Amino acid sequence: MAGFGARRGPNISHFLSNLNAIPSEHDLATQQAENFDFSGDLAAFTNTEFFDFDPAENGIHSSLEYNHPNHVLDAADTPPTRDHIKPGAFDFHFQPLDPFLNAEAALRDAQAPLPTDFDIPQLNIASPTSFDLSPAPGSKRSASATSPSSAFSQEESSRLVAEEDKRRRNTAASARFRVKKKQREQALEKTAKELNDKTAHLEQKIGQLQTQNEWLKNLITEKKGKDFLAAEWKAFKRRAGSDIDSGEEVERTVLQDRTPATIEMAATPPVLEKTDGEEKAASTMLRYADVGINFTDGTYNGFYNNRKEPSHPGDLDQVLNRASSVGVHKFMVTGSDLEQSLQAIEIAKHYQGRCYATVGVHPCSANAFERANDGGDQLLEELKKTAQQGARDGWVKAFGEFGLDFDRLGHCKKEVQERWFKRQLEVAVELQLPLFLHSRAAHNSFQSILKPHLSGLPRRGLVHSFTGTLTEMRELIDLGFHIGINGCSLKTEENLEVVKEVPLERLQLETDGPWCEIRPSHAGKKYLDGYQDPFRKVKKEKWEDEAMVKGRNEPVEIVKVAKVVSGIKGIKLDDIVEAAWSNSVGMFGLGSEEQCG
């Protein structure tokens, strides 16, 4: 607005405020040098000339019309004046404007001599019109021009600036203090979390060592009798020369004096013996057999989500060691196609006496038969030969995993699954191995295809990872099959009702790792209240040698499955675990009990 140069109207407020003001000598000199027409400035207030633009009634000039600001009036365009208006045409009864009309007289009175109390020069004002009511173009009125009394003194302004500066400094200092306080709190929280993690890790290690020591002590007691420990205790007291009442020293001495024979005994879990019709456990350590574990999956070698680079080193040794520490001594590695079946056999060879293999083609992988040039016959023949040779060598213990899965028809069409389910059942009759079957949302078709072949399959088998209804479970039991339970079998309340009705003599436990873990959303999770994982879990990117990987299921989690089943059935955990162990070892022949470990 500084460059606005249009004509400005009179500054009325400025004029009124200066009516009774005493002009300065400069103003008097300026007023005397100029000759203004005061009537023009008051025209805005004294003009009462109103027009009726109807020329027929009031005699207004007929040529009156609107003129553009840039239009130049000629003689014919002379604006109407007071003479053109008939007397009495307008009667608005305005109040008299005497204060304004008599302003000139008021100003003359101001020139009268002032009282002697004031030393003020005499004023000689020619006309009130000498005041310039319009500010110069581009100029701005300062606040002091209109409100002189509102200005602060210099000292007051300095004080306000100092107070504002002090307030800002205090605010900044307070903000810095809060930031530092928050940083200290975060550092303390991080330190506390690290200490808690280390404490939990140490507690887990202590628990493992205590369990192993207890197991070893019971094994020695079983082999050498109770008198052996008493004799060792007396010998230790003689050597120490003091009376020690803690039994922990006995265990420590026995562990230090272990012979190779004792170490070999420690690698073997306790054996159930029958005495007078009663079973008694030779150890407090429970025995588990994970009959459904996918060790051929890339996650156990550090590969996730089909990535080309591993997230961590292969850790199958650590996985097996963690499992053994909680009593899982037998593993049946699942073959889902020919390639994975061969890999499962290699794992069984590497971990002889602990791992065994199955051979078969999963229903979701049945398209492999369709893609073969010969229609799949050659692939089926190779599958049969692999299973036969592996069974003769003692590595292969079941034929499967095969069956039907109508939940995932996107992987393989229904007709293809049904066709190769039949063809693999024909091979199973030749092999005479127990079956490792898969049935998901396909019970009617599964039963109708399976029944005609049952006469040639006396060893029946296991329907693993069961998620069917109560009626479906009972029909499979009537056909002579066992039911495999894992985390996927414990998702809903309906699933729990089915598990509750599975006969103990037909129950087997599995994990189906790296999948089918028990999640917080599962209905069965409520039976794990108070349960503490024996090992820490970390993200795969932060892999540690002694920690489990979050989101990757592994055999050590079979303990959770057993606890949930125990809670559902209302049967002691020992009885659940021992029944499942006996059923698995008995059906699949997972080595003699003396080979456990």
Side-chain angles (χ1 to χ4, degrees):
M1 295 297 290
F4 180 74
R7 183 180 182 277
R8 299 176 181 267
N11 192 332
I12 302 303
S13 62
H14 190 187
F15 171 73
L16 294 177
S17 65
N18 289 328
L19 282 178
N20 296 322
I22 300 174
S24 64
E25 294 180 0
H26 174 74
D27 291 336
L28 292 175
T30 303
Q31 292 167 7
Q32 292 173 1
E34 296 179 356
N35 185 20
F36 293 94
D37 185 5
F38 182 72
S39 61
D41 290 302
L42 296 179
F45 302 95
T46 61
N47 183 13
T48 57
E49 298 177 0
F50 298 92
F51 309 105
D52 187 343
F53 291 91
D54 185 354
E57 295 182 2
N58 297 314
I60 303 299
H61 194 279
S62 60
S63 64
L64 183 63
E65 61 182 10
Y66 170 76
N67 291 298
H68 190 275
N70 296 328
H71 177 66
V72 180
L73 297 176
D74 54 19
D77 295 330
T78 302
T81 63
R82 182 180 301 180
D83 297 335
H84 293 90
I85 303 174
K86 295 179 180 181
F90 304 96
D91 190 8
F92 293 93
H93 302 290
F94 285 99
Q95 295 296 325
L97 301 176
D98 291 342
F100 295 97
L101 297 176
N102 297 327
E104 186 174 359
L107 290 176
R108 285 197 300 269
D109 294 339
Q111 300 177 10
L114 296 175
T116 57
D117 296 339
F118 299 93
D119 185 13
I120 298 176
Q122 296 296 319
L123 301 179
N124 184 16
I125 301 175
S127 172
T129 57
S130 63
F131 294 101
D132 186 3
L133 303 180
S134 300
S139 64
K140 295 184 179 180
R141 293 174 303 191
S142 64
S144 61
T146 57
S147 304
S149 60
S150 62
F152 292 102
S153 66
Q154 184 176 0
E155 294 181 358
E156 182 70 11
S157 299
S158 300
R159 184 185 64 80
L160 292 176
V161 170
E163 289 180 355
E164 178 66 14
D165 182 66
K166 181 179 180 181
R167 184 188 64 81
R168 290 179 179 178
R169 290 175 180 273
N170 290 341
T171 302
S174 177
R176 289 193 298 270
F177 174 77
R178 289 195 297 270
V179 170
K180 291 181 179 179
K181 180 181 178 183
K182 185 65 175 178
Q183 291 175 345
R184 288 194 297 268
E185 290 176 352
Q186 292 175 346
L188 290 174
E189 290 176 358
K190 182 179 179 181
T191 302
K193 184 177 182 302
E194 292 175 352
L195 290 175
N196 289 336
D197 291 343
K198 290 179 180 179
T199 301
H201 179 64
L202 291 174
E203 289 176 351
Q204 291 173 2
K205 293 290 292 183
I206 292 171
Q208 294 172 21
L209 291 173
Q210 289 176 343
T211 301
Q212 293 172 358
N213 290 344
E214 184 68 21
W215 184 14
L216 178 60
K217 183 178 72 174
N218 290 336
L219 284 173
I220 295 174
T221 302
E222 178 69 20
K223 293 294 182 179
K224 297 188 176 182
K226 296 180 180 180
D227 296 338
F228 171 76
L229 285 180
E232 288 293 323
W233 173 239
K234 291 180 180 179
F236 173 76
K237 288 177 67 177
R238 286 195 300 270
R239 291 195 300 270
S242 61
D243 295 331
I244 302 176
D245 297 328
S246 174
E248 295 178 359
E249 296 296 337
V250 178
E251 296 178 14
R252 192 175 297 114
T253 302
V254 172
L255 288 173
Q256 292 174 351
D257 294 340
R258 284 185 298 174
T259 62
T262 305
I263 296 175
E264 182 178 356
M265 289 158 44
T268 305
V271 179
L272 288 181
E273 299 177 353
K274 293 184 178 180
T275 305
D276 299 329
E278 296 181 353
E279 292 183 351
K280 64 176 182 178
S283 171
T284 57
M285 176 70 73
L286 299 175
R287 301 176 295 178
Y288 298 87
D290 189 351
V291 294
I293 180 65
N294 299 277
F295 281 153
T296 59
D297 188 78
T299 57
Y300 295 110
N301 285 315
F303 292 91
Y304 296 83
N305 304 321
N306 297 320
R307 293 181 179 176
K308 295 182 179 180
E309 297 296 328
S311 298
H312 59 77
D315 59 350
L316 188 54
D317 285 345
Q318 291 88 332
V319 169
L320 290 171
N321 290 339
R322 283 193 288 270
S324 296
S325 70
V326 298
V328 189
H329 302 294
K330 299 293 182 180
F331 311 87
M332 198 158 74
V333 185
T334 306
S336 297
D337 56 29
L338 180 58
E339 181 182 358
Q340 289 191 6
S341 297
L342 292 171
Q343 293 175 3
I345 292 173
E346 290 302 314
I347 292 174
K349 291 179 180 179
H350 185 75
Y351 298 100
Q352 183 176 354
R354 302 171 71 185
C355 293
Y356 302 89
T358 73
V359 174
V361 176
H362 192 282
C364 291
S365 302
N367 281 328
F369 293 108
E370 301 290 308
R371 290 192 295 265
N373 295 330
D374 59 354
D377 292 339
Q378 182 63 33
L379 177 58
L380 189 64
E381 183 65 21
E382 291 182 19
L383 200 69
K384 181 177 74 173
K385 290 181 179 179
T386 300
Q388 287 175 333
Q389 185 61 45
R392 283 195 295 267
D393 294 339
W395 314 125
V396 176
K397 296 298 182 179
F399 186 64
E401 175 182 1
F402 71 109
L404 299 175
D405 190 329
F406 292 170
D407 253 355
R408 292 178 283 183
L409 293 176
H411 293 281
C412 186
K413 294 181 180 179
K414 178 179 178 181
E415 314 82 64
V416 176
Q417 292 187 32
E418 291 176 338
R419 178 162 56 252
W420 292 104
F421 182 32
K422 294 176 184 177
R423 296 290 302 275
Q424 289 188 85
L425 282 172
E426 294 170 359
V427 172
V429 173
E430 296 183 46
L431 294 174
Q432 287 299 298
L433 287 170
L435 306 182
F436 191 75
L437 297 173
H438 180 103
S439 177
R440 189 67 50 83
H443 180 73
N444 292 334
S445 297
F446 182 82
Q447 258 202 133
S448 62
I449 295 173
L450 182 61
K451 282 182 178 179
H453 299 86
L454 291 180
S455 59
L457 298 167
R459 299 180 69 176
R460 294 298 192 266
L462 173 73
V463 181
H464 102 109
S465 189
F466 187 77
T467 59
T469 65
L470 182 61
T471 301
E472 293 170 357
M473 182 272 293
R474 286 172 174 166
E475 290 178 354
L476 292 173
I477 293 294
D478 292 341
L479 294 177
F481 287 92
H482 287 203
I483 304 297
I485 303 299
N486 58 35
C488 290
S489 310
L490 307 169
K491 287 183 178 181
T492 67
E493 292 295 338
E494 182 182 5
N495 293 150
L496 303 188
E497 291 299 321
V498 174
V499 172
K500 185 176 182 180
E501 299 300 323
V502 175
L504 208 55
E505 65 273 13
R506 299 292 183 88
L507 173 70
Q508 295 193 38
L509 302 177
E510 55 176 296
T511 60
D512 203 22
W515 314 291
C516 292
E517 64 180 340
I518 299 177
R519 298 182 179 179
S521 60
H522 288 186
K525 183 67 168 59
K526 60 188 175 185
Y527 293 101
L528 294 176
D529 290 345
Y531 176 80
Q532 185 176 3
D533 289 318
F535 298 93
R536 291 186 305 114
K537 294 183 179 181
V538 298
K539 294 181 178 179
K540 59 181 182 292
E541 295 82 6
K542 298 182 178 180
W543 178 86
E544 296 179 12
D545 187 54
E546 297 182 356
M548 297 174 63
V549 176
K550 285 184 177 180
R552 185 187 72 175
N553 199 8
E554 60 179 70
V556 71
E557 299 283 68
I558 200 172
V559 176
K560 291 183 178 180
V561 178
K563 284 184 174 293
V564 174
V565 174
S566 173
I568 294 170
K569 287 182 166 293
I571 299 176
K572 289 194 306 181
L573 179 64
D574 297 34
D575 296 336
I576 294 292
V577 173
E578 190 57 35
W581 166 271
S582 298
N583 295 337
S584 298
V585 171
M587 171 175 282
F588 298 111
L590 303 180
S592 64
E593 296 181 351
E594 286 75 15
Q595 291 178 319
C596 296

